[in-house]
Amino acid sequence: MAAAALHKPVLLKEAIEAMNIQQNSCCVDGTFGRGGHSAAILERLGEDGCLIALDKDEQAIAHGKEHFASEPRLHLHHSSFSRLQEVVEQHGLAGKINAVLLDLGVSSPQLDDAGRGFSFQLDGPLDMRMNQSSGKSAAQWLATEEESEIARVLWEYGEERFSRRIARAIVEQRGAEPLHTTKQLAQLIFRASPVKERHKHPATRSFQAIRIHINRELDDLREGLRQAVEVLAPGGRLVVISFHSLEDRIVKRFMRDMARGEQLPKGVPVMEKQRKPGILKPVGKPVRAGQQELQQNPRARSAIMRIAEKQA
């Protein structure tokens, strides 16, 4: 299916350029979504190229199987990118991948589907799972978790300054009636927040935090980054698009640490040439959406893309 007919991801052109795709490249799209990046990658690949695409969202994989049914170069896997290395090894391509792309966070189709429970602006079941076939939903988690743990999650993953007040309100509410819908939770958070920011709903940070926790997003990211480096060929590119500071901080530090190489305590008698060199090299500066894209898609305003290349 033509890329133009698909949902267009943020920084699409910039990401494809950053991947440095050749006709015979083997690439990984760790976050297939609705196939926007994958379609653009396939346009760059020749007949001998291949693309492994993963997504833990069953709807995304179903969409891909329907719209890319006649594409032999695409190999779709219902899996988190935290299992990227295992999937690549199934194809016998460990150490031979030329580019890995990770487009983090929740996609527009997921946000716009009230039935998924990601958005506080749409009333739907309080689910928030990217993989709806496993794990606890947000409603199930909020119905049973300790107040202190709910507060920790809201603070750590959402940087919500009223985390304790909101957690207390959730526990009090579930004593009378469990939370089942996004509207119920959003209204509860609105009432529990003593200060309202202009142009920002009080539920924004809490919904982000709960989603990150339910889907283990930051743990998966750390594991996915590590495995991406393992499967890349020398000269292969790692391209990561993140949408909030917690994600970007992890990506930035990972690339920095992998570029520094082996860090030894002061005073260890080891010559510089004996120290293990860095395995990644940053490529260019962080990339953000341009003015034209921001006008067409306001959700792109928080996107930041980082690129690194594996050293020989």
Side-chain angles (χ1 to χ4, degrees):
M1 186 176 184
L6 299 166
H7 161 69
K8 185 177 180 180
V10 171
L11 293 172
L12 176 61
K13 180 181 177 181
E14 293 86 347
I16 300 303
E17 290 294 333
M19 292 176 74
N20 193 30
I21 301 166
Q22 308 302 313
Q23 288 219 330
N24 63 346
S25 291
C26 288
C27 304
V28 172
D29 181 353
T31 45
F32 179 76
R34 289 300 180 268
H37 281 125
S38 285
I41 292 168
L42 289 165
E43 287 183 354
R44 293 287 185 99
L45 292 175
E47 291 183 4
D48 295 330
C50 68
L51 172 61
I52 298 170
L54 303 84
D55 206 297
K56 54 184 173 183
D57 187 334
E58 289 178 303
Q59 292 184 19
I61 296 301
H63 175 91
K65 287 181 178 179
E66 178 185 353
H67 290 88
F68 291 83
S70 60
E71 179 49 79
R73 298 170 299 169
L74 174 64
H75 307 280
L76 281 168
H77 291 264
H78 179 219
S79 176
S80 167
F81 57 66
S82 64
R83 296 177 59 230
L84 186 155
Q85 189 171 2
E86 176 187 334
V87 170
V88 169
E89 286 174 351
Q90 290 175 16
H91 293 273
L93 292 171
K96 301 177 183 178
I97 297 298
N98 303 107
V100 174
L101 172 66
L102 303 178
D103 181 13
L104 306 176
V106 61
S107 69
S108 293
Q110 289 171 325
L111 279 172
D112 296 337
D113 182 354
R116 302 302 301 272
F118 288 112
S119 175
F120 55 80
Q121 297 176 320
L122 302 171
D123 193 23
L126 192 55
D127 194 318
M128 296 197 195
R129 289 173 298 170
M130 291 182 181
N131 182 358
Q132 292 183 302
S133 63
S134 67
K136 287 183 178 180
S137 68
Q140 291 170 325
W141 181 71
L142 291 172
T144 57
E145 191 54 80
E146 295 286 339
E147 179 180 326
S148 59
E149 178 63 6
I150 295 173
R152 183 195 69 81
V153 166
L154 299 184
W155 170 251
E156 189 171 324
Y157 297 151
E159 299 175 315
E160 172 53 68
R161 57 177 171 156
F162 303 121
S163 57
R164 293 180 180 177
R165 293 175 66 110
I166 294 169
R168 190 178 313 122
I170 288 170
V171 171
E172 290 174 355
Q173 169 64 34
R174 77 189 188 194
E177 180 186 2
L179 294 163
H180 292 297
T181 70
T182 53
K183 185 177 181 180
Q184 284 178 306
L185 179 58
Q187 290 177 339
L188 179 149
I189 295 170
F190 187 89
R191 294 192 299 268
S193 302
V195 178
K196 312 295 190 293
E197 296 180 50
R198 290 184 64 188
H199 311 303
K200 192 166 192 176
H201 194 286
T204 302
R205 293 188 179 92
S206 293
F207 267 65
Q208 170 188 293
I210 295 168
R211 188 202 82 221
I212 288 173
H213 175 74
I214 290 295
N215 294 289
R216 299 184 72 255
E217 291 180 33
L218 301 186
D219 290 337
D220 280 5
L221 174 57
R222 293 184 183 95
E223 191 61 27
L225 290 170
R226 183 190 67 79
Q227 293 184 26
V229 174
E230 291 295 323
V231 303
L232 280 172
R237 295 281 181 89
L238 172 60
V239 179
V240 188
I241 303 171
S242 55
F243 288 85
H244 59 74
S245 59
L246 296 175
E247 292 173 338
D248 183 54
R249 195 175 304 143
I250 291 171
V251 176
K252 179 181 179 180
R253 288 176 178 173
F254 176 82
M255 290 184 174
R256 178 199 65 193
D257 292 346
M258 289 295 100
R260 281 179 174 175
E262 186 179 26
Q263 299 296 297
L264 299 172
K266 289 183 178 180
V268 175
V270 175
M271 297 179 65
E272 182 65 23
K273 65 181 180 180
Q274 294 176 304
R275 187 174 66 89
K276 292 181 180 178
I279 197 168
L280 288 181
K281 179 181 71 174
V283 177
K285 295 181 178 180
V287 179
R288 294 186 179 274
Q291 197 58 41
Q292 183 177 351
E293 182 170 5
L294 290 173
Q295 290 174 352
Q296 296 172 349
N297 182 10
R299 288 176 180 169
R301 67 185 180 277
S302 59
I304 181 168
M305 182 175 73
R306 296 184 185 273
I307 311 150
E309 185 173 291
K310 186 172 181 178
Q311 301 299 286

